[in-house]
Amino acid sequence: MKAVLALADGRIFKGKAFGATGETSGEVVFNTAMSGYQEVLTDPSYKGQMVTMTYTQIGNTGINPEDIESNQLYLSGFIVREYLDCYSNYRATMSLDAYLKENGVVGIQGIDTRALTRHLRDKGAQNGIISTIDFDPESLVKKARAIPSMSGLDLATGVTCSAPYHWTQGLWDLQTGYPNVDKRDLKYKVVAYDFGIKLNILRCLVSAGCDVTVVPATFPAESALAMNPDGIFLSNGPGDPEPMKEVIENIKKFVGKKPIFGICLGHQLLGLALGGRTIKLKFGNHGSNLPVMDIATKKVEITAQNHGFSVDILSLSNVAGLAHENLNDQTVEGMAHKTLPIFSVQHHPEASPGPHDSHYLFNRFVEMMEKHKA
């Protein structure tokens, strides 16, 4: 079946359909990871976006029930160069095509993803349409131009949990799978705000010794403080942080009262709560192979990333300092408060998918909580 991808600036790519049929829209971005497409598909941070995989062959490891990062697919569409329906992996239980169909996600294959990626790098991430029912370029471009911009969109409150819950599952083990950790072995009580949290972040917190209670994005700070946690965690998530005024005001109430650790959107929200500002990046950083330097140690880490916004560290010069820097585009990858036990990173230390160079940040959070434990 034919499929067409139309960008808002008029660029057209013709290919073949896979996954669900129909029409879908969103901001078109590219991800440079060579593996881990299942984790990409289930990352809530991709809500409202259509993801292009730059690696050429996608689908060859199938889909398994263990590598999901949330309970559903949040991205709008999936774009690949070559889809492989014949998968081979000892854990796989179904094909990528069947998985997309089951979850209603429209995909397109057989297009020049290298040309698309170069176009997005030159022109910037932009809205687009994938259609298997409308093949008129003029009609599709018109629809793409009518899609709301990602700037100004609060998407996180649409992917957060509906009620608090407790999490005790630790990191995956080759022999035993995901272990349920005895609560008696979890020393540090953490309230984790869910703005679109990935499951492997929760597992990393538990494996670091944290007793985690996950709460909705707008859960009152007063209620969280009443739990007497040792620390507050602010998760990743989709969309623009600036419209999330209620959440930003909530975070301000934790400053100076509890240690705080933020990742991705949580990092951006923390920057806004501390009085800074954020900026929209031209095409963002999405992948599992991006170099970041820890400013304190000068150590370079290869990291997993997924964001389209960045904190302006100069707007926080009196409050926080640069802690990590992206070596590709020199954007802010981490910050640390100058006097309080507060730090955050733009990249994903849980790295699912991706390298584990930044796993130490969860232990840093634990050390911070130990030092300031009441």
Side-chain angles (χ1 to χ4, degrees):
M1 180 181 291
K2 290 195 303 182
V4 176
L5 166 65
L7 301 181
D9 68 0
R11 187 74 185 264
I12 303 294
F13 294 86
K14 296 180 180 180
K16 298 178 181 178
F18 81 112
T21 56
E23 197 166 276
T24 189
S25 64
E27 182 183 52
V28 183
V29 299
F30 60 88
N31 186 299
T32 58
M34 294 179 69
S35 61
Y37 57 81
Q38 184 172 340
E39 291 95 324
V40 169
L41 289 168
T42 53
D43 183 348
S45 295
Y46 280 118
K47 182 175 175 61
Q49 294 180 316
M50 302 199 296
V51 181
T52 306
M53 301 301 293
T54 62
Y55 187 65
T56 52
Q57 295 179 323
I58 301 294
N60 47 10
T61 55
I63 297 292
N64 70 76
E66 294 183 306
D67 288 348
I68 59 171
E69 286 298 316
S70 67
N71 60 3
Q72 67 182 85
L73 278 64
Y74 287 97
L75 79 174
S76 299
F78 202 44
I79 304 163
V80 305
R81 174 67 184 92
E82 181 183 1
Y83 165 66
L84 299 178
D85 197 53
C86 183
Y87 60 88
S88 177
N89 183 274
Y90 77 100
R91 294 187 301 152
T93 57
M94 65 191 305
S95 70
L96 171 59
D97 177 63
Y99 190 54
L100 295 180
K101 283 185 170 77
E102 184 179 274
N103 287 275
V105 174
V106 178
I108 183 172
Q109 64 149 325
I111 72 166
D112 188 344
T113 51
R114 185 176 183 182
L116 173 58
T117 298
R118 288 173 66 95
H119 187 76
L120 295 175
R121 281 184 61 88
D122 291 342
K123 305 297 184 181
Q126 56 184 285
N127 289 331
I129 293 269
I130 299 174
S131 183
T132 66
I133 53 177
D134 181 358
F135 305 114
D136 177 37
E138 186 176 339
S139 168
L140 292 172
V141 170
K142 185 177 180 180
K143 292 176 190 175
R145 290 174 177 169
I147 304 166
S149 168
M150 185 64 70
S151 295
L153 287 184
D154 171 10
L155 298 177
T157 50
V159 302
T160 188
C161 59
S162 57
Y165 63 92
H166 194 236
W167 184 272
T168 58
Q169 192 179 80
L171 288 170
W172 188 80
D173 179 79
L174 180 62
Q175 302 299 324
T176 61
Y178 293 115
N180 281 312
V181 180
D182 192 322
K183 187 175 180 179
R184 292 170 294 184
D185 296 327
L186 303 175
K187 183 178 179 182
Y188 305 96
K189 193 172 183 180
V190 171
V191 172
Y193 273 81
D194 175 14
F195 306 124
I197 199 164
K198 292 174 66 180
L199 298 183
N200 217 49
I201 289 178
L202 295 174
R203 296 174 186 130
C204 285
L205 286 168
V206 169
S207 291
C210 298
D211 179 10
V212 182
T213 299
V214 185
V215 298
T218 56
F219 192 73
E222 295 81 3
S223 299
L225 290 170
M227 298 178 184
N228 194 28
D230 297 305
I232 302 295
F233 176 77
L234 309 174
S235 87
N236 64 293
D240 186 346
E242 287 198 4
M244 300 175 65
K245 304 300 184 185
E246 182 181 353
V247 172
I248 294 166
E249 290 302 313
N250 213 31
I251 294 171
K252 289 179 181 179
K253 297 174 183 177
F254 296 121
V255 176
K257 295 178 180 177
K258 296 291 179 180
I260 305 174
F261 176 29
I263 289 177
C264 197
L265 180 65
H267 157 78
Q268 297 162 11
L269 290 166
L270 183 58
L272 292 170
L274 293 175
R277 70 184 185 94
T278 56
I279 55 176
K280 179 81 164 70
L281 299 176
K282 183 177 180 181
F283 49 79
N285 288 307
H286 313 273
S288 60
N289 42 24
L290 296 117
V292 166
M293 178 180 283
D294 185 323
I295 299 301
T297 64
K298 302 303 180 184
K299 176 185 175 184
V300 176
E301 307 156 18
I302 304 303
T303 67
Q305 300 189 22
N306 178 18
H307 61 275
F309 294 84
S310 178
V311 172
D312 176 6
I313 198 65
L314 295 179
S315 66
L316 287 164
S317 58
N318 295 326
V319 180
L322 180 68
H324 293 82
E325 183 180 46
N326 188 307
L327 297 183
N328 281 349
D329 61 9
Q330 287 69 57
T331 52
V332 177
E333 287 293 340
M335 64 182 181
H337 198 281
K338 292 185 175 181
T339 59
L340 298 173
I342 297 173
F343 77 106
S344 59
V345 291
Q346 183 62 75
H347 52 283
H348 284 255
E350 86 288 349
S352 186
H356 298 166
D357 297 21
S358 302
H359 266 196
Y360 70 91
L361 291 168
F362 292 101
N363 290 327
R364 181 177 291 183
F365 183 39
V366 166
E367 290 165 5
M368 184 178 283
M369 289 189 289
E370 176 64 30
K371 184 176 179 181
H372 295 87
K373 199 170 174 64

